[in-house]
Amino acid sequence: MTEEEKDVELERLRIENQKLKENNKMLIEGSEKLVARNMMLSEKMDIYYDVRRRVEWLKELVRRHRELMVQADLRDDEELLALIEARLEGDEIPLPPEYGLREVAELVGTTQQRIVDLYKQKTIYHTVDKYLDYLRLLRALRLLKEKPAYNIEAIATDAGFNSVRTMHRKIIEAIGMTPGQFRDLTSPSDL
């Protein structure tokens, strides 16, 4: 092979080598893009499976809740009333002003309509709201007697009334005296 042929061959190999380097660079860049895309897809799959797992968990909770609702609706009325009274008349459950029918139904695992019918037909209160007001009134009277250092506003809040005025009116309607008069009447006298 002549010198000139060698130079031509060498130039051809350099050009081919350059093309191979460029192709290699493009393959590396493409590979990096594929790895990044694979990572992104993997993260999306993880999120998808996490969401799917949570949806299945929520479906199971809904199914259990429905079963409990059916079981609660199978209870007889007296048993359901006793359950409500036992849960609400303890001091553990706060009765804020917004606590009502929905919360009572959730507390015992039954429908709101069942609670409405139950109170309308089987109690002297006729509505859940009247029963809850009665419980708030009892708590307020107990607090007035047991907590002489509490001011009237604190007692109204702790008992679950939305205002002092509402508590004041309910106590007067129930016992014919103001909260202050009741407190004076029930507090131990300083003899």
Side-chain angles (χ1 to χ4, degrees):
M1 199 182 276
T2 67
E3 208 48 52
E4 194 174 302
E5 289 175 337
K6 286 182 184 178
D7 287 343
V8 168
E9 182 64 21
L10 188 60
E11 186 59 32
R12 187 187 65 76
L13 288 173
R14 259 191 244 132
I15 292 171
E16 191 175 317
N17 189 25
Q18 184 62 32
K19 284 181 183 177
L20 287 174
K21 284 181 181 179
E22 288 173 9
N23 283 343
N24 191 28
K25 184 179 178 183
M26 285 177 24
L27 287 173
I28 288 172
E29 288 173 0
S31 176
E32 288 172 352
K33 286 179 183 176
L34 285 174
V35 167
R37 181 170 155 65
N38 191 19
M39 294 287 286
M40 181 188 68
L41 289 173
S42 178
E43 288 174 4
K44 284 184 178 181
M45 287 298 290
D46 288 346
I47 291 170
Y48 168 78
Y49 283 117
D50 186 52
V51 167
R52 190 170 173 181
R53 182 183 51 82
R54 289 175 190 227
V55 166
E56 292 301 319
W57 179 72
L58 287 172
K59 283 180 183 177
E60 178 62 20
L61 283 177
V62 168
R63 186 190 63 74
R64 284 186 201 164
H65 186 326
R66 284 186 183 143
E67 286 177 10
L68 288 173
M69 296 289 267
V70 168
Q71 291 171 3
D73 284 343
L74 295 177
R75 293 185 190 122
D76 69 359
D77 291 343
E78 286 73 24
E79 182 182 353
L80 190 55
L81 275 172
L83 179 62
I84 292 169
E85 288 174 1
R87 295 219 175 140
L88 289 178
E89 291 182 14
D91 288 333
E92 305 83 46
I93 296 179
L95 297 175
E98 62 275 359
Y99 197 91
L101 174 62
R102 181 175 53 88
E103 289 78 12
V104 172
E106 287 175 2
L107 181 69
V108 294
T110 191
T111 63
Q112 292 181 29
Q113 188 59 49
R114 173 89 192 275
I115 299 293
V116 167
D117 294 342
L118 185 67
Y119 273 83
K120 189 182 289 184
Q121 297 167 6
K122 300 285 184 175
T123 70
I124 61 172
Y125 307 106
H126 301 292
T127 68
V128 173
D129 289 333
K130 287 182 182 176
Y131 175 63
L132 293 172
D133 280 346
Y134 168 75
L135 291 178
R136 290 181 183 107
L137 177 69
L138 289 179
R139 286 183 183 182
L141 293 174
R142 192 190 80 242
L143 289 170
L144 283 166
K145 182 178 177 183
E146 294 175 359
K147 308 284 185 182
Y150 275 31
N151 66 30
I152 300 297
E153 187 174 327
I155 289 176
T157 301
D158 286 356
F161 288 101
N162 57 4
S163 71
V164 174
R165 175 179 274 169
T166 302
M167 181 185 78
H168 196 272
R169 182 176 45 81
K170 296 282 185 181
I171 289 177
I172 290 174
E173 287 173 5
I175 63 173
M177 61 179 76
T178 68
Q181 290 169 334
F182 177 78
R183 178 178 269 170
D184 292 341
L185 183 69
T186 59
S187 66
S189 60
D190 299 324
L191 293 177

